[in-house]
Amino acid sequence: AGAAGGKAGDGAADAAQALLVTLWNVAMAGGGVAGGVLLDRLGTAALPWTALVLLAPVLAVVVAARRNAFPAR
């Protein structure tokens, strides 16, 4: 992912790498907080359904990245 971020950032590769690291850390912290709240409020039975719901936007990002950031050669 690091090399891909640098390639996608082109002339601003350093800024892209810094943004990647920052957003990764924010995502890890946010996921921990969200998972804790989900477990506290709904219990363990909600985890598989939540993961399934979260897969839809992830799939959309992967498809868009494949088309735009990583075109076929």
Side-chain angles (χ1 to χ4, degrees), residues 22-48:
T22 301
L23 290 177
W24 180 265
N25 287 325
V26 168
M28 290 293 112
V33 170
V37 170
L38 186 69
L39 281 171
D40 186 50
R41 301 261 167 108
L42 301 176
T44 57
L47 291 178

Side-chain angles (χ1 to χ4, degrees), residues 2 4-6 10 12 15 35 38 41 43 51 59-60 62 66 69 73:
D10 198 27
L38 186 69
R41 301 261 167 108
L59 181 60
V62 167
R66 178 69 180 134
R73 294 183 184 176

Side-chain angles (χ1 to χ4, degrees), residues 46-72:
L47 291 178
W49 299 109
T50 303
L52 189 61
V53 168
L54 291 174
L55 281 176
V58 169
L59 181 60
V61 168
V62 167
V63 169
R66 178 69 180 134
R67 201 172 326 123
N68 299 317
F70 310 106

